[in-house]
Amino acid sequence: MTGVQTCALPIYRHSEASARPTVAYAVLGLLARRSRSGYELAAALREPVSFFWSAPHSQLYPTLSALETDGLVTHEQSPGPGPRARKTYRITGAGRRALADWAVSTPPPRAGRDEFVLRAYSAWVAEPDAVAALFRTEAERHRARLVEYERFRRELVDASGGAPPGPRQPEFGNWLALHNGLGYERAYLEWCEWALDLLLAADRRS
Amino acid sequence: MTGVQTCALPIYRHSEASARPTVAYAVLGLLARRSRSGYELAAALREPVSFFWSAPHSQLYPTLSALETDGLVTHEQSPGPGPRARKTYRITGAGRRALADWAVSTPPPRAGRDEFVLRAYSAWVAEPDAVAALFRTEAERHRARLVEYERFRRELVDASGGAPPGPRQPEFGNWLALHNGLGYERAYLEWCEWALDLLLAADRRS
DNA sequence: CGGGTCATGTAACGAGTTACATGATTGG
DNA sequence: CCAATCATGTAACTCGTTACATGACCCG
């Protein structure tokens, strides 16, 4: 009888009362701009919100229920074309407060994840030609995103008449997210091209 | 009886025979450089491998078992200090091939995730002062990482005598991953400082 | 009349995180 | 003697993805 006897019924309390999954704040962030139906939210979440967070609709609907239970959103029904009614969701005052609190709370230092860099880390075991092909494909992907993001930037600039949006305007958030995306894609593309140069230089030497 | 009758026993086959979780390739990537014990692998995975992939040891041990079942790694036991024997893992030829295949296979276009940018996207609902504080903390974090990465770079340059490593050397992978990390952190830091300038300019106007 | 869009949900699984668990040796 | 390190594993949970499910309307 030397071991420490532990409780047979494990009581896990590692989720604080106010802890919500990140997708909930993606939803609140969208609803803070304007009310939307579940379908519209699902469509918005299919393409990454703020360029760096996406979710399928299967994650959305339970999230909306949970947010409503907590009083952070409400909904109004209207007849839909199909077998189910359309629900238009609106953020509440409590929801807006929860979003603001979350937005400025320092996030725990989470490790970023990038599977492509992990592949690059092991690229030395593969054929250099195949590695070059991989990087060319990846570069193309980021080039395409850059073009898209530049288009978004022009749209935002045109919409706000040249001046950057004030820090209380919704466009401020778009502006921040977009510029992060632009910097990210530019840096990534430069890295891909640098890697291709390195591979080319090594190929010429041999 | 209008509905489509589906099989009562759902047969899910959406995982290909060779599909392995990403953490498995992080492990193989480490073992391709040199053999390591589970404990050493766990320590290496605690800090992100290739700067962009980390895992706790609880994910490691089942992964090692699975890799061994598939014949991609083997292990030798030696007596450990504690109640359990130390197992030193070695990658097999099949493991090296699987790693090389994975490394150059085009990854499915996954959406990157960045919770901080999502916060920034909703920062307009919060106090501008709190937003500025948030960005200062974040900038500091990236500045610290940059300093660390610059140190790694000097170490790598010193170790290889100035010349960049050839595309068949393990250091090539480190070199690629490190330069991605450097570009990423530089871009992120610049973005944080740009955002702080924007907030400061708006503050002066009011 | 067949496929796409609108519209909402549930089921099952895989991936990732946190907590539980054991126990010898080493250093302050 | 207490804490950290070495050393390995399991249990329980949350988060995220893929697949299943229904059905009306619109357009060609």
Side-chain angles (χ1 to χ4, degrees), chain B residues 6 12 14 38-39 57-58 61 81 84-87 113:
Chain B
T6 50
Y12 282 72
H14 55 74
Y39 188 82
H57 75 277
S58 63
Y61 290 107
R84 301 174 201 260
R86 170 169 47 232
K87 298 183 184 173
R113 310 208 139 200

Side-chain angles (χ1 to χ4, degrees), chain B residues 154-165:
Chain B
R154 276 194 301 275
E155 277 173 25
L156 251 182
V157 168
D158 289 352
S160 63

Side-chain angles (χ1 to χ4, degrees), chain A residues 7 17 26 31 46 51-52 59 106-107 109 122 128 140 153 164 166 173 191:
Chain A
C7 184
L31 290 178
R46 214 164 27 229
F51 307 101
F52 291 102
Q59 221 186 343
T106 306
S122 293
E140 209 44 63
R153 200 180 61 82
W191 175 68

Side-chain angles (χ1 to χ4, degrees), chain A residues 44-93:
Chain A
L45 283 164
R46 214 164 27 229
E47 293 299 300
V49 178
S50 82
F51 307 101
F52 291 102
W53 208 273
S54 58
H57 75 275
S58 64
Q59 221 186 343
L60 169 66
Y61 290 107
T63 299
L64 283 170
S65 301
L67 285 173
E68 187 150 44
T69 303
D70 292 355
L72 306 186
V73 303
T74 51
H75 81 262
E76 277 173 26
Q77 287 202 356
S78 56
R84 300 175 201 258
R86 172 170 46 231
K87 297 181 183 174
T88 304
Y89 287 87
R90 179 191 310 276
I91 195 168
T92 64

Side-chain angles (χ1 to χ4, degrees), chain B residues 149-177:
Chain B
Y149 290 6
E150 290 284 7
R151 194 163 48 77
F152 288 147
R153 200 181 60 84
R154 276 194 301 275
E155 277 173 25
L156 251 182
V157 168
D158 289 352
S160 63
R168 299 279 203 176
Q169 293 177 282
E171 290 78 22
F172 185 68
N174 296 48
W175 194 246
L176 287 177

Side-chain angles (χ1 to χ4, degrees), chain A residues 43 47 124 171:
Chain A
E47 293 299 300
W124 62 280
E171 290 78 22

Side-chain angles (χ1 to χ4, degrees), chain B residues 41-81:
Chain B
L41 287 167
L45 284 163
R46 214 162 29 224
E47 293 300 300
V49 177
S50 82
F51 307 101
F52 291 102
W53 207 274
S54 58
H57 75 277
S58 63
Q59 220 184 343
L60 168 66
Y61 290 107
T63 299
L64 283 170
S65 301
L67 285 173
E68 188 151 45
T69 303
D70 292 354
L72 306 187
V73 302
T74 51
H75 80 265
E76 278 172 24
Q77 286 202 355
S78 55

Side-chain angles (χ1 to χ4, degrees), chain A:
Chain A
M1 287 285 237
T2 52
V4 176
Q5 192 60 40
T6 51
C7 184
L9 298 165
I11 300 158
Y12 281 71
R13 283 287 130 223
H14 54 75
S15 53
E16 299 298 313
S18 65
R20 265 173 283 270
T22 306
V23 65
Y25 296 102
V27 171
L28 288 176
L30 289 167
L31 290 178
R33 282 143 212 268
R34 60 181 174 82
S35 297
R36 286 167 160 98
S37 70
Y39 188 82
E40 285 178 293
L41 287 167
L45 283 164
R46 214 164 27 229
E47 293 299 300
V49 178
S50 82
F51 307 101
F52 291 102
W53 208 273
S54 58
H57 75 275
S58 64
Q59 221 186 343
L60 169 66
Y61 290 107
T63 299
L64 283 170
S65 301
L67 285 173
E68 187 150 44
T69 303
D70 292 355
L72 306 186
V73 303
T74 51
H75 81 262
E76 277 173 26
Q77 287 202 356
S78 56
R84 300 175 201 258
R86 172 170 46 231
K87 297 181 183 174
T88 304
Y89 287 87
R90 179 191 310 276
I91 195 168
T92 64
R96 205 168 269 269
R97 247 164 297 150
L99 179 61
D101 287 351
W102 173 81
V104 294
S105 67
T106 306
R110 293 231 209 147
R113 310 210 138 197
D114 189 329
E115 202 179 304
F116 189 84
V117 181
L118 191 62
R119 285 174 204 256
Y121 180 72
S122 293
W124 62 280
V125 297
E127 291 293 324
D129 285 352
V131 178
L134 180 76
F135 269 98
R136 270 192 291 271
T137 310
E138 188 68 9
E140 209 44 63
R141 196 178 278 184
H142 292 284
R143 234 188 303 273
R145 287 226 199 108
L146 249 185
V147 168
E148 193 190 357
Y149 290 6
E150 291 283 8
R151 194 164 49 76
F152 287 147
R153 200 180 61 82
R154 275 194 301 275
E155 277 173 26
L156 251 182
V157 169
D158 289 351
S160 61
R168 299 279 202 173
Q169 293 178 282
E171 290 78 22
F172 185 69
N174 297 48
W175 194 247
L176 287 177
L178 177 59
H179 273 257
N180 184 285
L182 278 165
Y184 177 79
E185 294 300 339
R186 268 197 283 261
Y188 217 109
L189 181 57
E190 272 175 39
W191 175 68
C192 288
E193 285 169 346
W194 170 84
L196 285 167
D197 282 349
L198 209 69
L199 284 161
L200 199 72
D203 194 49
R204 267 201 300 266
R205 267 201 300 280
S206 69

